[in-house]
Amino acid sequence: MKRPNPFRFILAVLLVGMVAAFAAGAMYGQSTSGNVAGIVKDPSGATVADALVRLENIVSGYSRETKTNAQGAYSFPNLPFNPYRVIVRRDGFNTASRSVEVSNTVPVALSFTLAIGTSTVVTVEAGPELVENDPTFHADIDRSVIDHLPIESPSSALSSIVTLASPGVAADSNGLMHGLGDHAENSFNIDGQPITDQQSKVFSNQVPAAAVQSLEVIDGAPPAEFGDKTSLVVKVTTRSGQGVHQPTGDVRLSYGSFGSSYLSFDTAVGGENWGNFLAVDGLQSGRFLDGSEFSVFHDKGNEENFFDRVDYNFTRKDSIHFNAQYTHSWFQTPNDYENVNVVDGNGNPVGNTDQRSKIGTINFAPTYTHVINDSGVFNLGFYVRRDAYNYYPSANPLADFAVDQQQESVQQFRTLTNAGVHADVSYVFGMNNFKLGAQYQQTFLRENDSIGIVDPTITPACVDSFGNPASCTAPGATGNPSVNPVLLPYDLTQGGQFYLWQGRADVKQTALYGEDQIKAGNWLFNLGMRGDFYNGLTKQYQAEPRAGISYNIKPSGTVLRVSYARTQETPFNENLVLSSKGCADTVLYNIFATLSDGSCQTSTPQATPFNPGFRNEFHAGFGQAIGKHLAFNGEYLWKYTHNAYDFSVLGTTPITFPIEWHSSKIPGYAISATLTDLHGFNARFNASSVAARFFNPQLGGVGATPVSTNSASGNVPFRIDHDEKFNQTTHLEYHVPFHKSLWVGFNWRYDSGLVAGAAPCYNPNGANTDCDPATAITLPNGQPGIDLSGLSPDQQFQAGLTCDGVKATPTSGFQACDVAGLKSKLLTIPAPNTEDADKNPSRIAPRHVFDMAVGDDNIVRFGEQGRYRFGATLTAINLANKYALYNFLSTFSGTHYLTPRTVTGEIAFHF
C-alpha cells in the first residue's frame, strides 16, 4: 500500500482550513499577540479626542499609552496574551478604568463613555486579579523588567533573562539552561514561529534581546498547540512599530571588563496601518565563552545582529507580519593550561591550541492574518531558519592534543535548515475559545566532519622495549603487535591524514491539534488533543491528550490548578546524523572507541538511530494574591519519560552529539512571587527543586556511560549532570521617588550545584555508585585511598582538589590521596562509602552570586517636549567575584567556571 505523503496531507489541511474560514466565517486563528481598540465618547454620544488611554498589567510590568484621534478612537496592537486594565483620562471628565482579558488574536472592542466631572474622580470596574485563573503555570516578563535586569552578556541575553526571571531553570555555562530537570528540552515560539533546536552561544544565535517586547515562560503542562521540546516553552512577542507615529528608539554604547564593547541601535516607527521595528547591534569581547579556567585566555569572540519586523494592514481584516533576522558570531574555544605550550609525542613544541568556531543564522518568518468576523481569526505562517556552524582546528593539528581530554583534531561544517508552515483557525463563542491548528516542518541536516588522531599512544606503528610509542627508526624499536590498521592512515602523529565523513538527513514533522478553553463561572477548563508524526532517521506517531482545570476562589484571591500532558520527545538535531550513523562507519567506530567518555553502544559497527520518546507529566499548584501588591504561585510536577535525551561532548571542543537513555523520572516543584510597584520598589522571586533521575541502559549515541551502569545490573537510576537540588533568584528594583528615572537593580542567585559525576570519590562496595571501583586503593601505610592518576594536574586544579591541605596546581597534582585527606572547595564530594549515583552523587559546590546595576534613564533631556534623553548604566556581574564552577567534566559540555567579576558602563541616547 502506498504510504501517504505528509506534505500533501498538510497542504490539504491548510486548504480545507482556509476554505472553512472564509466560507463559514465562524472560526478564528490565534498567534502570539492581540489587539484592544475602542472609541471614547462623552455622555451625549459625541466622540472625545485627545483623551489619554493607558493599558497596563501590574504583575508583568507591561504598560502602553496612546491618545484618541479626532474620531475618538484608540488602538493597542501587538499585545501579549494577558489580563489588563485600561484607564482613560481627559480634562473635564472623570477618569474611567476597566479590565480586559486578551487571550487570542481576535480584536477586543473596549469603548468608554466618560462622565462629566473632575479627572481625579475614577469610575472603576473590578481590575484584573494579581493571580491569573489559568490551569497552566507560567511567568510573564515584560520589557520594563528586561531593561533593568543585570545580564551577563548580550550574546545569550534571551537565555539569561529566562534563567533569572522565571522559575524552574538551572543555570549552566554559555547560555545553556535546563528547564525543569531536562537538558535543553526548551522551545522558543517567536511570534508564532516554533524554534525547538538549541539556542545558546555554541549552537545557534538567538533573537537579540532588544527585539523582545515580552516573554511568557510556560512551566506547566503545555497546551496542545506546543510540541516537540516542551519542558520549558518560551513565547516571545517581539516589538512592533505599528501605531508609533513619531520615531522612537535607542542608541547604546558600552565598554567593560575583558575589553568587552557593545554598540546597538533600535527604532520603531509606523502609522495606524503599518509599522516597522529595527534592531542592529554588535559585540566583541575578550571573554566570549565561559572557560575551563577562572583566568581568561584564548577566549575572544564577536557577534553581530540584525532584526527587522514589518507590520502592514491591507484592510481592517487582512494584515501581514514579517520577521527577518541575520546573526553572525565568531569565537575562540577557551584554552586551559594544558592547551598552552603543547608538545607532540616526541617532545617537540607545537604551540598553543587554537580552535575556533563561526556561526551564521538567517531567519525569515512571514505571517498572514485574516479577521473573519468579531469572533474569528485565521492565521497562516511560513518560516525558514538556517544555522551554519564551522569549527576550525589549530593551524598545527598536533596542538589540539590534550592528555585525557582530546585525542583527535576535528574540523566541522554543518548546517541545520528548518522550513515550515503553520496555520490555525479559532472560534470564540460564549464560554468556549476553540482553536484548530496544523503544522508541518522539515529540517535538513548536513554534517561534514574531518577527524585525525593526535594522541601518539592510541595506535603507534612501533614501540620500544617497554611497549611505549617509538619511532620505527629508533634503536630497539619493533613493530607494534596491537596496532590498529583501520586508524593508522588517519594518525596525524605518524604522517597520516584527516578522515573525511559526511552525513545527511531530512527530518519531517507533522502535527495536528485542537484545543478548547472553557470558562464556566469561576472554573476554567483547558482541553486539547495533539497528534505528532515524526519521520526522521526513525518514525513514530504519537497521540497526545492535554487537559487542565483551574478554579478561582475570588474572596480569598486564590486560584487552584491541576493539569496533565502527554508529549512526544524528539531527539536533538545537532550532530544527530553523526551520533545515529557514525557507529556504522568502521573508521569512526574505531575512533569513538578511543574516547575517554565511552564508545559506541554496539560490539560491531552498526547504526544506532534514535527513537522518539514519549512523556506523561502531571502538575498541581495554586496561586495566591496577598493584599494589592503581592502575588505568589507554586506548583508540584512529576514527569516520566520513556527514551530520554542528553548530550555527550567530543574532547574539549564545543562539538556535542545527542545520546539516549532508557527513561527518566523527574519530580520537583517551582515557585514564584512578584511584588508589584510599591512606592518605587518592586521584586521578583523564583525558586525550584527538581530531581533529574535517569535510568540506564544507554540506548543510542556515543559515550557518556556512567560508572554506575558498569557496576550495577538492571535499570538502576542515576542523577544526570543537570540535576540540581535547589536554586533561587531574587531580583530587587528601586526607583528613587524624587527622580524616578534613577534606579537600582540587584540580583541574588543561589545554586545548590549540578551533579558532577566525574568527581573523584570512594565507595568500592556501593551497589549503585559513580565512584570508579578501580580508583579505590590501599596506600602503602595501609590507609584507604583514591587513585587520582586518571585526572591530569590541571583537572585536579580545576576541581579545587587538596590532599592533606596541599593544593593541586595546573602543573603539579597527586597520583593518589588518602580518603580522609581529599577535599575540595569547588566540589561537594560525598563522605567515604556514602556516594550513591541516585541518592547522594557528587556535586558542584553551592554558590551565592550577586549582580547589581545602577542607572539613570533621564540624565539630560532636551528637544520638543523633552523627547531626546541621555541615560547611563553601570552593571556589575558577580559582584563578589565568586570563584566557582558551573560544571566539572560534564558529559555534555566539559568544565566551565562562572564569569569573574565583570563591570560594564553604558551610555544610552533615547529618542
Side-chain angles (χ1 to χ4, degrees):
M1 187 176 82
K2 186 177 180 180
R3 184 178 296 273
N5 186 313
F7 185 67
R8 293 178 180 173
F9 174 71
I10 197 69
L11 285 179
V13 171
L14 295 178
L15 289 173
V16 170
M18 291 178 68
V19 171
F22 286 98
M27 308 283 284
Y28 86 96
Q30 182 177 352
S31 182
T32 57
S33 62
N35 183 297
V36 173
I39 297 175
V40 178
K41 299 180 180 180
D42 65 17
S44 69
T47 59
V48 178
D50 291 323
L52 180 65
V53 186
R54 178 179 175 84
L55 177 143
E56 62 182 19
N57 179 297
I58 60 173
V59 177
S60 71
Y62 185 93
S63 64
R64 295 258 296 274
E65 285 187 351
T66 189
K67 285 190 174 182
T68 56
N69 60 19
Q71 291 75 42
Y74 74 92
S75 176
F76 291 109
N78 196 45
L79 295 177
F81 297 156
N82 261 319
Y84 296 97
R85 173 173 289 181
V86 180
I87 305 166
V88 181
R89 292 184 175 92
R90 183 69 165 89
D91 291 341
F93 296 92
N94 289 344
T95 298
S97 173
R98 295 175 63 184
S99 62
V100 61
E101 179 82 24
V102 178
S103 59
N104 50 63
T105 54
V106 176
V108 177
L110 188 68
S111 296
F112 290 83
T113 298
L114 301 182
I116 302 294
T118 61
S119 59
T120 57
V121 179
V122 183
T123 303
V124 182
E125 286 188 358
E129 291 86 355
L130 285 170
V131 179
E132 291 183 57
N133 186 14
D134 191 339
T136 302
F137 180 42
H138 66 275
D140 296 306
I141 308 167
D142 182 61
R143 183 87 229 158
S144 60
V145 176
I146 296 171
D147 282 340
H148 295 162
L149 193 66
I151 296 174
E152 176 183 345
S153 171
S155 61
S156 59
L158 200 58
S159 295
S160 297
I161 293 165
V162 173
T163 301
L164 293 173
S166 64
V169 182
D172 211 327
S173 57
N174 297 323
L176 283 167
M177 57 182 187
H178 307 300
L180 298 172
D182 283 302
H183 171 78
E185 287 281 344
N186 317 310
S187 64
F188 289 85
N189 191 282
I190 313 291
D191 292 333
Q193 176 191 354
I195 300 176
T196 58
D197 296 307
Q198 295 199 77
Q199 300 280 287
S200 74
K201 293 181 183 180
V202 296
F203 286 104
S204 176
N205 297 310
Q206 299 180 346
V207 170
V212 177
Q213 176 58 59
S214 67
L215 303 173
E216 180 186 345
V217 183
I218 299 176
D219 297 86
E225 61 186 293
F226 301 110
D228 207 351
K229 309 287 190 300
T230 58
S231 188
L232 203 70
V233 179
V234 183
K235 293 175 61 178
V236 180
T237 301
T238 60
R239 298 168 71 180
S240 171
Q242 189 167 357
V244 182
H245 298 278
Q246 189 174 47
T248 63
D250 306 278
V251 180
R252 300 176 185 270
L253 174 64
S254 68
Y255 185 82
S257 305
F258 311 112
S260 299
S261 58
Y262 178 69
L263 176 64
S264 71
F265 167 78
D266 63 74
T267 183
V269 64
E272 295 298 327
N273 297 319
W274 68 280
N276 182 240
F277 175 82
L278 174 69
V280 182
D281 62 58
L283 163 75
Q284 65 176 8
S285 176
R287 191 186 186 280
F288 192 83
L289 297 182
D290 295 314
S292 52
E293 306 287 356
F294 195 68
S295 299
V296 179
F297 50 94
H298 195 268
D299 198 3
K300 295 180 179 179
N302 60 71
E303 182 180 88
E304 299 78 42
N305 278 298
F306 171 89
F307 177 86
D308 191 31
R309 168 173 170 162
V310 177
D311 295 273
Y312 185 75
N313 293 351
F314 298 100
T315 67
R316 293 181 61 85
K317 291 189 174 184
D318 299 285
S319 62
I320 190 170
H321 155 212
F322 180 75
N323 285 352
Q325 178 194 356
Y326 172 73
T327 302
H328 167 274
S329 61
W330 175 94
F331 49 90
Q332 298 172 322
T333 298
N335 283 346
D336 58 26
Y337 290 111
E338 292 186 31
N339 300 124
V340 179
N341 300 321
V342 180
V343 297
D344 63 15
N346 298 317
N348 301 314
V350 293
N352 298 338
T353 305
D354 183 27
Q355 300 171 342
R356 295 138 291 137
S357 298
K358 181 178 70 174
I359 303 175
T361 300
I362 300 175
N363 188 77
F364 298 100
T367 301
Y368 166 74
T369 299
H370 175 70
V371 179
I372 303 165
N373 55 28
D374 291 343
S375 300
V377 172
F378 169 77
N379 288 296
L380 176 64
F382 302 87
Y383 55 89
V384 177
R385 179 181 177 87
R386 183 180 188 267
D387 285 322
Y389 177 88
N390 287 271
Y391 190 79
Y392 305 102
S394 301
N396 184 342
L398 299 181
D400 291 339
F401 174 58
V403 178
D404 297 324
Q405 293 188 66
Q406 186 168 335
Q407 296 82 42
E408 305 83 13
S409 181
V410 182
Q411 181 173 346
Q412 183 181 74
F413 173 67
R414 61 177 172 85
T415 60
L416 187 159
T417 304
N418 180 239
V421 56
H422 59 93
D424 51 70
V425 194
S426 299
Y427 175 67
V428 175
F429 182 77
M431 61 192 299
N432 297 86
N433 182 351
F434 181 75
K435 179 177 181 182
L436 176 67
Q439 302 167 351
Y440 176 79
Q441 66 176 359
Q442 189 161 348
T443 304
F444 304 90
L445 304 176
R446 304 294 183 263
E447 300 173 10
N448 302 275
D449 297 285
S450 300
I451 304 178
I453 296 172
V454 294
D455 184 347
T457 66
I458 286 182
T459 180
C462 297
V463 294
D464 60 20
S465 58
F466 298 100
N468 298 317
S471 170
C472 291
T473 59
T478 60
N480 179 13
S482 301
V483 68
N484 187 332
V486 176
L487 296 183
L488 191 59
Y490 312 107
D491 190 336
L492 304 184
T493 67
Q494 302 181 72
Q497 60 185 352
F498 280 93
Y499 177 69
L500 306 180
W501 183 85
Q502 293 182 324
R504 58 184 295 160
D506 296 345
V507 180
K508 307 175 184 67
Q509 293 174 261
T510 306
L512 296 174
Y513 65 88
E515 58 189 20
D516 191 12
Q517 185 178 86
I518 305 169
K519 189 172 184 179
N522 293 341
W523 293 91
L524 191 68
F525 302 88
N526 279 350
L527 304 175
M529 175 64 76
R530 181 183 178 95
D532 275 301
F533 171 41
Y534 178 89
N535 183 5
L537 298 175
T538 57
K539 297 180 180 180
Q540 188 196 74
Y541 300 86
Q542 191 70 236
E544 304 154 47
R546 314 282 175 91
I549 304 172
S550 63
Y551 182 75
N552 189 355
I553 307 174
K554 291 188 176 183
S556 63
T558 305
V559 173
L560 306 177
R561 63 172 71 93
V562 293
S563 58
Y564 163 79
R566 184 180 177 94
T567 62
Q568 183 186 61
E569 302 297 304
T570 60
F572 297 102
N573 286 321
E574 293 81 6
N575 292 306
L576 175 63
V577 188
L578 174 66
S579 196
S580 299
K581 295 184 176 180
C583 288
D585 183 280
T586 303
V587 175
L588 290 183
Y589 180 88
N590 282 270
I591 289 178
F592 287 152
T594 69
L595 295 177
S596 58
D597 284 334
S599 59
C600 296
Q601 302 302 302
T602 57
S603 58
T604 59
Q606 57 182 287
T608 55
F610 292 83
N611 291 300
F614 62 87
R615 166 177 293 168
N616 290 298
E617 60 180 281
F618 303 85
H619 299 254
F622 71 98
Q624 180 65 57
I626 303 174
K628 296 181 179 180
H629 293 277
L630 182 60
F632 177 87
N633 280 279
E635 180 151 296
Y636 178 81
L637 61 101
W638 189 91
K639 302 188 290 186
Y640 173 78
T641 306
H642 183 80
N643 289 23
Y645 298 101
D646 195 31
F647 262 82
S648 186
V649 65
L650 183 60
T652 57
T653 74
I655 298 176
T656 58
F657 34 82
I659 55 179
E660 182 179 24
W661 301 103
H662 177 272
S663 59
S664 71
K665 293 180 180 179
I666 302 177
Y669 65 84
I671 57 178
S672 69
T674 302
L675 177 68
T676 65
D677 184 73
L678 183 62
H679 304 298
F681 179 78
N682 64 80
R684 299 173 73 100
F685 170 80
N686 298 289
S688 64
S689 175
V690 181
R693 305 178 68 227
F694 278 59
F695 293 76
N696 67 83
Q698 183 178 332
L699 303 179
V702 182
T705 301
V707 175
S708 60
T709 65
N710 294 327
S711 60
S713 59
N715 254 6
V716 294
F718 64 96
R719 298 297 180 95
I720 203 123
D721 50 10
H722 47 264
D723 173 282
E724 188 167 46
K725 282 186 176 180
F726 181 77
N727 62 66
Q728 74 83 28
T729 302
T730 301
H731 173 67
L732 309 176
E733 187 175 323
Y734 180 69
H735 291 252
V736 178
F738 56 84
H739 189 69
K740 290 188 177 297
S741 64
L742 179 62
W743 56 272
V744 178
F746 180 81
N747 284 346
W748 166 35
R749 173 81 184 187
Y750 171 77
D751 290 274
S752 64
L754 301 176
V755 167
C761 55
Y762 184 88
N763 190 10
N765 299 315
N768 180 31
T769 176
D770 274 336
C771 300
D772 189 346
T775 64
I777 60 175
T778 301
L779 299 176
N781 61 7
Q783 291 183 324
I786 301 177
D787 182 358
L788 298 173
S789 61
L791 296 175
S792 68
D794 188 41
Q795 289 173 330
Q796 296 178 31
F797 168 74
Q798 291 169 350
L801 297 185
T802 62
C803 182
D804 296 321
V806 180
K807 296 180 179 180
T809 71
T811 57
S812 177
F814 316 107
Q815 287 296 309
C817 185
D818 61 286
V819 170
L822 186 65
K823 307 292 182 182
S824 172
K825 291 184 178 180
L826 300 182
L827 301 178
T828 300
I829 302 174
N833 299 310
T834 65
E835 194 276 345
D836 185 279
D838 180 35
K839 299 178 181 179
N840 188 29
S842 300
R843 293 184 179 273
I844 302 299
R847 62 182 182 269
H848 297 269
V849 179
F850 304 99
D851 308 324
M852 188 173 182
V854 180
D856 191 335
D857 301 327
N858 188 15
I859 297 176
V860 178
R861 191 181 186 106
F862 60 96
E864 184 182 353
Q865 297 181 344
R867 68 180 301 259
Y868 302 108
R869 295 174 291 120
F870 277 100
T873 304
L874 183 66
T875 302
I877 301 298
N878 193 1
L879 191 64
N881 202 31
K882 179 67 175 179
Y883 181 69
L885 288 167
Y886 275 117
N887 40 43
F888 175 68
L889 295 180
S890 165
T891 60
F892 69 87
S893 65
T895 299
H896 298 285
Y897 281 87
L898 262 66
T899 302
R901 182 191 295 119
T902 303
V903 179
T904 303
E906 177 187 273
I907 297 175
F909 172 64
H910 311 283
F911 61 91

